[in-house]
Amino acid sequence: RESHSILGSTFLNPTTAAGVAFGSGGTLMRKGPARTDRALYCKVSRNKWGENTVEVVNTLGIEGLQDSDFQEHSGENPVQKLDVYANDVRQGYRRTMAKSSKTGLQIKASDTDYQEKVCQYTKDVSRHNSDTTGEDCNRSEGKVLILATVHDTFQAPSKKRMFWVSFPDMETTAAFRREVCLDNPADLPISCEYLDRDSVDIIDRSGRIATYLIRYLGTGDIMGYLWNVKSAIGELPFSWAPLFCDKFLHVFNNWVPEAIPSKFLNKGREYDHNCMVAVGEFGDGTLDRFMERMDAFIKKYNDKASADDVSEGGKMITYVEAESQADITALNAFRFVAALAFKTYVVGEDLQGISVDYGLPKNYEGVPPLADSAVKPLKRMRYSHFGCNVIHEDIAYALGVDTHTEHMAFKQAVEVEGGKLPAEHGHGTEYRAPQDTQKRWMNMDPLNVLNPGIGGLSYLPKYGQK
């Protein structure tokens, strides 16, 4: 079986708690975003005597770690016992695996309805940061302190295939998502990641070195060390320091070979719309059924294109299969470094940019148009978790453009189309959260001592209330 996340920003030193606090993890369509109602977390509040207190909320649902397992005033509590257990495991001692209690088995440890929801082709957004459902730890964005979480594991595929599929237009790409990928909940692919041509061009132009590093070093300790070195250089007390590493990566990028095989890269350069689709066999013919749908879809479109003479001077749907684990690793790394490559690109080209993540309605099949008054960007890099329609968009502008104004105008353009922003990177202090989300956070942290100022909330104690 597999854990929830098998590919993520692990060398950036995130935690499982951060994934829960933001509801992140959209790559894996069969698993859904990080979510659990089984947690141990702290809330800060004031009791009836006016004393500031820390309340430990325990919904772990583990035998021997439930509140009822500890006598009042005994000096023992779930936090201490969990620390002992974790320290023993860390030091290599064998411990009997803890078991879920009867109560715990009734509590969600993943988004169990996600496969059904993502296939419902409606105007709703699959996932977003302002979602208010679930235990307080979910999408809490720092308003509670998460100590531990319990998560479901997922069946691992017995066989896996991966394809680079290229499309002549967005309409056909969206039809592929609707008719092939989201045909039914049981046959969802493992992942379906979209890359437009600007994404392919920028990753190839500025992300080769990063792609190779991840391909051959993985995302473990060595990569973490290199990331810390990059951060340390950027913090040196010199004016050039913050830009040095990205300038270096950009200048020397083309000194190294192309980071993915040419059979994929050439398609990415030729076509405006591309999907990296990973499909697995889960024991009941899921892989064969997916292949039948994909082959039928491609044949239907290409036959029609030929009959309409659209193909003359135009393009057919094409796909190339990853023939080895090395191909799969290269493709995953190529997609993984998209955001890093964009930063390297704008620094290297002396540009500036904005990065936005947003969720579009599940039945939305286009690209949010920029306002007529918007400054024309030099590059509009769109890559997405295509199954759930969550988009990451990095937009490059010339120096001198007011990027904050363009950012807020783009946010409005997304919302006009029915989208929600942000989708998985959190509100921070940049975005104002909806009122029901703000109210939920205020109830979690009535004194406003944890992460004040997020989502448009006040920075003042008790949110400025008397």
Side-chain angles (χ1 to χ4, degrees), residues 363-440:
N363 62 1
Y364 189 89
E365 299 188 343
V367 178
L370 300 178
D372 293 338
S373 59
V375 176
K376 185 177 180 180
L378 301 177
K379 288 284 187 181
R380 188 177 178 185
M381 178 178 172
R382 300 182 75 252
Y383 48 102
S384 74
H385 309 306
F386 202 47
C388 58
N389 227 10
V390 167
I391 319 297
H392 297 271
E393 187 152 347
D394 298 330
I395 309 176
Y397 297 96
L399 297 177
V401 173
D402 185 345
T403 53
H404 178 73
T405 299
E406 297 305 314
H407 195 164
M408 293 301 105
F410 184 75
K411 178 179 185 293
Q412 185 176 10
V414 169
E415 291 170 343
V416 166
E417 301 299 313
K420 292 183 181 292
L421 188 157
E424 61 183 15
H425 288 174
H427 292 80
T429 57
E430 188 171 23
Y431 300 113
R432 186 173 187 85
Q435 193 169 8
D436 57 344
T437 304
Q438 290 184 336
K439 184 176 179 181
R440 178 174 181 254

Side-chain angles (χ1 to χ4, degrees), residues 200-276:
V200 175
D201 290 345
I202 288 174
I203 298 172
D204 180 55
R205 175 61 190 89
S206 300
R208 291 184 185 179
I209 295 174
T211 302
Y212 273 113
L213 287 173
I214 291 173
R215 279 182 64 179
Y216 294 111
L217 298 180
T219 56
D221 292 341
I222 298 176
M223 197 65 188
Y225 173 77
L226 293 177
W227 181 262
N228 291 336
V229 169
K230 180 178 185 292
S231 299
I233 293 173
E235 293 169 1
L236 292 174
F238 304 107
S239 59
W240 49 263
L243 306 180
F244 175 79
C245 288
D246 287 301
K247 285 282 190 183
F248 176 90
L249 291 171
H250 188 74
V251 168
F252 289 98
N253 182 82
N254 290 345
W255 288 37
V256 301
E258 294 169 347
I260 59 174
S262 58
K263 62 183 179 181
F264 304 118
L265 192 56
N266 289 342
K267 293 299 181 184
R269 289 167 172 164
E270 181 184 353
Y271 283 79
D272 289 336
H273 307 279
N274 305 274
C275 287
M276 292 162 40

Side-chain angles (χ1 to χ4, degrees), residues 308-378:
D308 294 343
D309 290 328
V310 174
S311 60
E312 186 175 342
K315 297 170 183 173
M316 300 280 200
I317 300 175
T318 66
Y319 72 87
V320 183
E321 183 169 4
E323 297 174 347
S324 65
Q325 184 58 46
D327 281 355
I328 293 174
T329 301
L331 289 178
N332 284 333
F334 188 79
R335 163 63 183 86
F336 182 90
V337 304
L340 301 176
F342 176 74
K343 183 187 176 188
T344 298
Y345 177 80
V346 295
V347 170
E349 296 288 330
D350 293 322
L351 305 173
Q352 57 179 338
I354 61 173
S355 297
V356 189
D357 66 296
Y358 56 93
L360 289 171
K362 289 180 283 188
N363 62 1
Y364 189 89
E365 299 188 343
V367 178
L370 300 178
D372 293 338
S373 59
V375 176
K376 185 177 180 180
L378 301 177

